[in-house]
Structure formats: C-alpha cells, structure tokens
Amino acid sequence: MRRLGLANRLTLTLVLVVVAFQAISVLGLMALQQQDQDEWRLPVPVRIAAAAAALDRTPSARRDDLLVALNGDATRFFITDGVPAGYRQRGGALPVLLRSYGAALEGRDVRLLVPEERRRFRPRFQGRRTAVYAISVALEDGQRLVVAPGLGQRRRGVAMAALVFNLLVGLAAAVLVWRTVQRATRDLQVIADASDRFAVDLGAPPMDETGHAEARRVASAFNRMRARIQALMGERMRMLAAAAHDLKTLMTRLRLRVALIEDADQRARADRDVALMATLIEDVLLVARGEERPAVLVPVDVEELLTDLVSERAALGQAVSLGRVEPGRVQGDVVALRRIVENLVENAVVYGGSAEVSFQRDDDRWRLAVVDHGPGLTAAFADRAFEPFARGEASRSRATGGSGLGLSIARSLAQQMGADIRLETTPGGGVTALVLFRIG
C-alpha cells in the first residue's frame, strides 16, 4: 500500500483529532439528554388536566405561585389570553396526538401550537427530533394554559447546533491546513523530482530557486552541489581522456614493436595482450561517458534486436538460444540496449557455458531475461556484482573472465534509459539477468 504524503498525513491527523473531540462532546450531550428522557415530551394528559383544574380553582392573584410550582427545567407552564407570541395555531384536522388530551380534559378546547418561523435547523438523535411544538388548553375564565418546552431543552438544542457548527468549522480548518501543507510540501516534491532527474542525467537543468524561503535555500544548495558534481565529473573525464590518449599512443608503439618480434607464438600473445589493454581502456571510458552522456530514446524493436544478436553468437559457435520472445517495442537507445544484452550474454557464456534470451510482458513492464545454468552467484559477490571491476572469479585472469566492468556498464546504460537491471538465481542453479522496462 502506498504511504500517504506529508500533507495528507497532517490533514488526516487534524481531521481525526477534530472528529474525536466532537464525538466525545456529542456522546456527552447524548448522555445528558438520556438522563432527561432524551428530548422534550408532552406531559401525560392526566397531568395537564390536573394542572388546568387546579388553575380553575385558584384565584387569579395566586395562579403565579402555582405556575412556579408546575414549571421545571424540561417543561414550562404559562397562561395567556390567546395565542402566545412566537407561536401560531396549527391549522387542519386535529392531530391524532391530541385525541387523548381532549378526552382527558373533559371537552376542554385543546390546540396545537407551532413556531411562527419554521426552524431551519432541527438536530436529530437516534431517529428522534427535538420538539418544536406546544399545547394550548382552554380554562374556564377564557384564558388559555400553554404547555411548552422549558429553557433547559432549548439550551440543549442550541448546544447541539453549536457542536455541529464546530464540527463543520473543524473540517473547514482541516481543508485549509491541507491546502497550506500541500503548498509547502509541493516545493519538497520539486526538489525530489530534480534530484531524480540529476541522478539519471548529469546534464539535467538546474532547479528553479522559487517558493518559500526554506525551499529557495534548499534549491540554491542543490544547484551548488550539482555544479560541483558536474565540475568533478568533467575533470575526471578530461583526466581519463588524457590518460586514454597517452595509452593509445603507447599501444600504437607497442604494436609496431610487436610486429618486429620474429617468434610467431610470442608475437600472437603480445598482440592479444595489446588488444585486451585497448578493450579495457574502451570499457573504462564507456563507463565514464555513460554517466554524463544523455541517452537518445527511440522505440526499439526488441524482437529484431535479439534475433540478430543470437544469430551472430550462434555463428561464432556459442551456445546462445532464443527463448520466448513477444513482439514489442521499448523506449531505449539502440546501441546502448545492444551493448547491455551483449554484456549479459557474454557473462552467461563465460561463466555458465550457455545463455537463453527471452523477452516477455509482465504486468505493467517488459521483462528481458538472459538465463544461464552455471554455478550461480555467491552471497558475498551478489551484493557488489554491479560495482566497477567486481568479478566473481578472484584470480583476475582474463582467461577466466573479463575486466569486471560488464555489469557496471550494463547498469549505467540501463539507468540512462529509465530501465532497471537486476540479478536473480535461476531455478535449478545459475543466474538470470533481468532488464525491466516500463510500458508507456
């Protein structure tokens, strides 16, 4: 599973904190409401009938004392001459809810009151809705007893609205934090992309020194490092070129002197040594150039390349065969790709005695394999197989192996094409060299 980026991790952390805090608050409010029967409910008809009867028997001067005794945190009783302010009488047929009240109140006029302005926000808990209605009952003197939600119930509704509002504010803050962090980390991604480009191509352009102050400082430091590395690589190339020029001059002189050797056997051996020296110098220069020369990528017909290469090797009498090859093209450098396969096949023939070359599609990539059934790799050598001059055969004799640059050159050329190269153990023994190309 792909890891979340810094911006997403910070945003997710903030969202979880906000949601956890709000969840705790909501659970606390729900517990409080559960203690108070969760929401406002109309008193039972008998209680309202008793309250109305008691008010009818109580003189007007003492009714306020009785109302104080009846009122509570959840329910409020008060007397009006008509419809109280803020309410209106609900029209239409009498709701089924009030039939029991009409019977219990012995024919008293019972009306359902609702707020004049419709509530825009009605918080819900466990499928129930906070009450927004009141009951109006006629008294004998023409006044009306109104039974409505108490102050505590209304405060809990406001508290719930505040909690939901806080949750929305928290989520909005999380989005703003995500946007801010994303912009801050975008500069880090630019730095990472520039580093990847420079790792593949030393001639990649410098990084733009833009963004916030810290990002500009990092970009400036990266560009200084890039310039220093390019200078070092250029100096190394000039040194190698000068050394190669001098060595080629000396080898030309050696060839002239070798031609003067009368003994044919000694002359042939000397010619072979000079040729090996020339090959070694060319390999060293190829490794050096490969790290600074950008690859020219074009669609390459791998089937045609492998068929031609295997035919040439077979004509030389080498045990090189063509396995399963699927038609396909990869983005690569024709000369570099041929050199990679040549080096891998040469290693397989020298150390394994034979080579089988295949090219197949594997999910989202092309898989070019060179398989041998030789002695395989030792654990100690496997970790450094791609290092320059590394050899699995310790004698350093050219009769039993090459210069140790074949795999290093192959990896350098593969990296220029955006490919990956690796070594695996062949089932039954031996080494399988894989070159993996991205599709598309």
Side-chain angles (χ1 to χ4, degrees):
M1 181 178 177
R2 186 178 179 183
R3 291 189 60 186
L4 294 176
L6 177 61
N8 292 331
R9 291 202 303 272
L10 291 176
T11 304
L12 181 60
T13 301
L14 178 60
V15 169
L16 291 177
V17 170
V18 171
V19 171
F21 176 77
Q22 295 297 327
I24 293 173
S25 301
V26 170
L27 290 175
L29 183 60
M30 290 175 65
L32 177 63
Q33 286 195 332
Q34 187 173 6
Q35 293 177 358
D36 293 332
Q37 297 180 347
D38 299 316
E39 62 174 325
W40 183 72
R41 303 177 187 274
L42 284 172
V44 294
V46 175
R47 183 183 176 192
I48 296 181
L55 288 170
D56 285 337
R57 294 193 301 269
T58 303
S60 299
R62 301 188 59 184
R63 282 183 174 179
D64 290 341
D65 296 334
L66 180 58
L67 291 173
V68 171
L70 292 173
N71 283 331
D73 185 58
T75 306
R76 186 164 61 103
F77 292 82
F78 60 94
I79 296 176
T80 65
D81 291 327
V83 178
Y87 285 93
R88 61 180 176 82
Q89 182 176 334
R90 180 171 178 175
L94 187 66
V96 177
L97 175 66
L98 301 181
R99 291 179 181 174
S100 60
Y101 286 85
L105 293 172
E106 300 176 351
R108 292 180 185 266
D109 181 30
V110 181
R111 299 176 184 176
L112 179 64
L113 304 179
V114 294
E116 289 182 348
E117 295 184 3
R118 183 179 180 182
R119 284 192 175 183
R120 295 183 180 179
F121 177 73
R122 296 180 179 181
R124 295 174 179 268
F125 284 108
Q126 301 176 355
R128 292 185 293 272
R129 188 172 63 192
T130 303
V132 292
Y133 51 82
I135 296 295
S136 176
V137 179
L139 299 178
E140 292 180 352
D141 60 0
Q143 291 186 309
R144 305 192 68 85
L145 171 64
V146 178
V147 184
L151 182 61
Q153 176 64 25
R154 293 196 299 273
R155 286 177 177 174
R156 280 190 289 276
V158 173
M160 180 54 57
L163 286 176
V164 176
F165 176 76
N166 289 341
L167 178 60
L168 296 177
V169 170
L171 294 177
V175 173
L176 292 177
V177 169
W178 174 72
R179 289 292 300 165
T180 302
V181 175
Q182 186 184 46
R183 291 180 179 178
T185 55
R186 187 181 304 162
D187 295 326
L188 298 179
Q189 186 61 46
V190 171
I191 295 171
D193 293 341
S195 301
D196 290 338
R197 289 193 300 270
F198 185 63
V200 176
D201 179 12
L202 293 180
M207 185 187 306
D208 294 333
E209 299 182 14
T210 58
H212 54 80
E214 291 78 5
R216 291 196 300 272
R217 289 185 58 189
V218 173
S220 176
F222 176 86
N223 288 336
R224 290 195 301 271
M225 178 191 70
R226 168 186 170 280
R228 180 61 177 161
I229 291 176
Q230 287 180 330
L232 291 174
M233 293 299 297
E235 182 179 347
R236 187 183 74 167
M237 276 301 302
R238 288 190 294 272
M239 180 186 68
L240 289 174
H245 179 270
D246 293 341
L247 287 173
K248 287 181 179 179
T249 301
L250 293 174
M251 283 190 295
T252 301
R253 295 177 183 176
L254 283 175
R255 285 194 175 97
L256 294 175
R257 287 179 171 81
V258 166
L260 299 176
I261 298 176
E262 295 181 359
D263 190 326
D265 182 58
Q266 294 297 327
R267 186 170 59 249
R269 292 183 180 181
D271 280 334
R272 186 167 58 253
D273 289 341
V274 172
L276 291 175
M277 289 174 61
T279 301
L280 176 59
I281 292 173
E282 291 297 331
D283 285 347
V284 172
L285 288 175
L286 181 59
V287 172
R289 292 194 201 101
E291 293 180 357
E292 74 169 15
R293 180 183 66 86
V296 179
L297 303 182
V298 296
V300 179
D301 187 339
V302 180
E303 182 182 16
E304 180 181 350
L305 184 150
L306 295 182
T307 302
D308 183 54
L309 187 148
V310 170
S311 298
E312 291 181 2
R313 290 280 176 165
L316 295 174
Q318 297 179 349
V320 180
S321 61
L322 198 62
R324 181 180 177 183
V325 177
E326 298 180 2
R329 294 177 178 269
V330 299
Q331 289 294 116
D333 186 307
V334 179
V335 176
L337 181 55
R338 187 179 183 89
R339 183 63 183 268
I340 291 173
V341 181
E342 289 274 10
N343 287 1
L344 297 179
V345 169
E346 183 69 22
N347 282 346
V349 171
V350 170
Y351 294 105
S354 65
E356 182 184 81
V357 184
S358 63
F359 181 69
Q360 303 176 52
R361 181 164 181 166
D362 183 12
D363 295 333
D364 59 344
R365 59 188 180 181
W366 286 107
R367 184 175 182 269
L368 193 159
V370 178
V371 182
D372 71 65
H373 297 280
L377 298 176
T378 63
F381 178 69
D383 294 336
R384 56 186 185 89
F386 290 100
E387 295 179 4
F389 302 104
R391 290 181 53 183
E393 197 276 321
S395 69
R396 311 301 299 174
S397 171
R398 295 304 295 261
T400 58
S403 62
L405 289 173
L407 289 178
S408 179
I409 292 173
R411 182 180 64 175
S412 177
L413 296 176
Q415 288 177 342
Q416 291 179 37
M417 297 185 290
D420 184 26
I421 185 168
R422 65 185 65 170
L423 300 179
E424 296 181 353
T425 300
T426 303
V431 176
T432 298
L434 297 175
V435 185
L436 305 175
F437 300 88
R438 292 190 298 269
I439 295 177

